[in-house]
Amino acid sequence: MVPFYDMHNHSNDPKYLNTISEKPETKGQPFILRSIRDIAPGEQIFISYNRCNRCWYDESYEDCVSYSHYGTSQLFDVFGFVEDFPQTWSFRMKIRDFRGREIWDDLNFCLERSEEDGGDLEVTWGDNYSNNPWEERPVRDNIRYLGKQLARLKELESTLKEDTELMQTMPRHEWDMAWRYHEALMTSMSAAILASDIALDEDGVDDYHEGSGDDDSSDDDDESGDGDDESGDGTEEEDEDDKDGAYRDEL
């Protein structure tokens, strides 16, 4: 515990985040918290509970060390709140690689509201820890999974949100925060599906939007097996300003 440090609120929004921290790896090393810009009298001090920066590379925070790879879901699980944008999402799922073998895969992306385009949601595939952005672009199995989970969450909301007996089993603020996370989860999945250029119908069957590109996904009828290869399919355009070519799509 660091008493003064632990009093501050979290934000990864560059409009608010005004400090970076350097946490010690071993006992006896100093804990350093320093400003990254002028802080006006009375201005609230914000720290980052996880990444010290946006989801993608930003030189302002290159010296910050947090030793935390928490995303938006982990922040909710550990600290009990849903962070504002930018948000970092990671979904672990089973997919089939280009040889038809079943493998575990993590779909990582960042979500924020664009200031330049009237507050539209903007998806960036991968994150600030991505070594090869090409591997972060979604394939059809990724989007199928999100589509099925999104449908499940919608059904959950329709059956439970107005359940007054269930509501009485927990404090009201916890109930409200749980549904706020539910809304954030659905928003992130919807944004990722739209940014992928892979269309889903009500049954979870996908089809590319007209003119979206080639289909490199594997045949779902293949036998499953062990393996660690992944299809590199994707249709988003590359933003040359992102670190190592990370990909960003606006909705």
Side-chain angles (χ1 to χ4, degrees), residues 5 11-12 17-24 31-36 46-54 57-69 128-129:
Y5 179 81
S11 180
N12 281 329
L17 182 57
N18 47 23
T19 68
I20 64 173
S21 59
E22 299 177 24
K23 300 181 181 180
F31 184 100
I32 299 174
L33 177 67
R34 60 185 177 86
S35 65
I36 56 173
F46 284 95
I47 62 176
S48 174
Y49 288 9
N50 52 358
R51 294 174 179 268
C52 306
N53 50 23
R54 294 185 177 189
Y57 182 71
D58 189 330
E59 291 183 354
S60 301
Y61 309 102
E62 62 182 354
D63 295 325
C64 183
V65 179
S66 71
Y67 305 114
S68 172
H69 289 240
N128 208 27
Y129 300 106

Side-chain angles (χ1 to χ4, degrees), residues 199-211:
L200 296 175
D201 64 21
E202 294 181 356
D203 297 323
V205 179
D206 56 86
D207 191 12
Y208 269 77
H209 296 309
E210 183 177 356

